[in-house]
Amino acid sequence: MRTAVVAARLLVAAAVLAALVSNAIGAWQEGLLAQNLSYFTNQSNLAFVLLAVTGAAMVRRRPAWFDDARGAVAFYLVMTGIIYALLVAPLDELTRWDIGWTGIVLHRLAPVAALLDWLLTPQGRPPRARRILWWLLYPVVFLVFTWVRGGITGWYPYEFLDPTASSWTQVLLTTVVVLVAFVSIAVVMHLIGGRLRRSTGALDPASPGSVSVGSVSRRSVRTTSVSLDTASPHEEQRP
């Protein structure tokens, strides 16, 4: 089962990596590679690829931080899909599929795949609510960096963050709404991790806290054997 899950993650990661490389090559040819790497979409998708490869390389038990990192990446990709659909893409694009294969992979396939993986894979240890704060750290840093860099270069990756396209008042109002959405979705993602599969008996063999059915069976056999061997010698035998 774990092999199939890892294979599925790597398959999606390969598609995502191909889309990222394709976009990066096109941006490099146009002299826009730095701008290409500055998009939240590309950064969160790259994080998905790195995490998928890292997870596949962890043959044995995964460290305690792995579930939190997986949740963070799933959260970023879900927000990528939501923000793109509501604030970036034209309204008529939501029901269309002629947006190029890289757009489909980065804005639709990856967010859905990351969300399903987060819902279906049980976590190795009880989650702590404080991880929500860590999840929100990167989006806040991205926002501040975008504004500082935009103030210097005059370029912003997204129009809703660009005060020269509207005004600082409009940008700040939109940012407040987006931040509220980020916090709300982060809380939801924290709560729904692994909810579509029962943790008991369905843990990833490589995750902490997992129990092998075979080990339980052998333990039961040993316990039964000890019980039989220690039966009272004075027990009356019937003919």
Side-chain angles (χ1 to χ4, degrees), residues 173-184:
L173 288 175
T174 304
T175 300
V176 169
V177 174
V178 171
L179 288 178
V180 171
F182 264 82
V183 173
S184 302

Side-chain angles (χ1 to χ4, degrees), residues 56-211:
M58 294 177 178
V59 180
R60 302 185 178 222
R61 290 187 175 184
R62 292 169 178 164
W65 56 262
F66 188 81
D67 280 337
D68 292 344
R70 194 166 55 84
V73 172
F75 165 53
Y76 301 150
L77 282 173
V78 167
M79 291 308 303
T80 292
I82 293 175
I83 296 300
Y84 180 80
L86 298 181
L87 294 178
V88 179
L91 291 178
D92 62 341
E93 186 180 294
L94 298 180
T95 57
R96 289 168 29 209
W97 291 91
D98 57 337
I99 61 174
W101 72 273
T102 58
I104 293 175
V105 170
L106 299 180
H107 295 115
R108 297 183 182 179
L109 173 63
V112 171
L115 177 60
L116 289 177
D117 180 60
W118 181 242
L119 287 170
L120 292 171
T121 305
Q123 300 181 53
R125 64 187 178 91
R128 298 180 180 180
R130 67 184 181 185
R131 69 181 178 182
I132 297 174
L133 298 177
W134 290 107
W135 290 357
L136 293 171
L137 181 61
Y138 163 60
V140 172
V141 171
F142 175 86
L143 178 64
V144 173
F145 175 78
T146 296
W147 279 340
V148 171
R149 177 182 175 178
I152 297 174
T153 65
W155 180 84
Y156 298 83
Y158 302 104
E159 185 175 349
F160 68 89
L161 295 178
D162 184 358
T164 64
S166 54
S167 66
W168 270 112
T169 301
Q170 181 61 46
V171 168
L172 291 176
L173 288 175
T174 304
T175 300
V176 169
V177 174
V178 171
L179 288 178
V180 171
F182 264 82
V183 173
S184 302
I185 298 299
V187 172
V188 172
M189 294 292 289
H190 164 70
L191 295 174
I192 65 175
R195 291 296 182 180
L196 292 188
R197 286 189 61 184
R198 294 181 302 174
S199 296
T200 304
L203 290 177
D204 190 331
S207 63
S210 61
V211 180

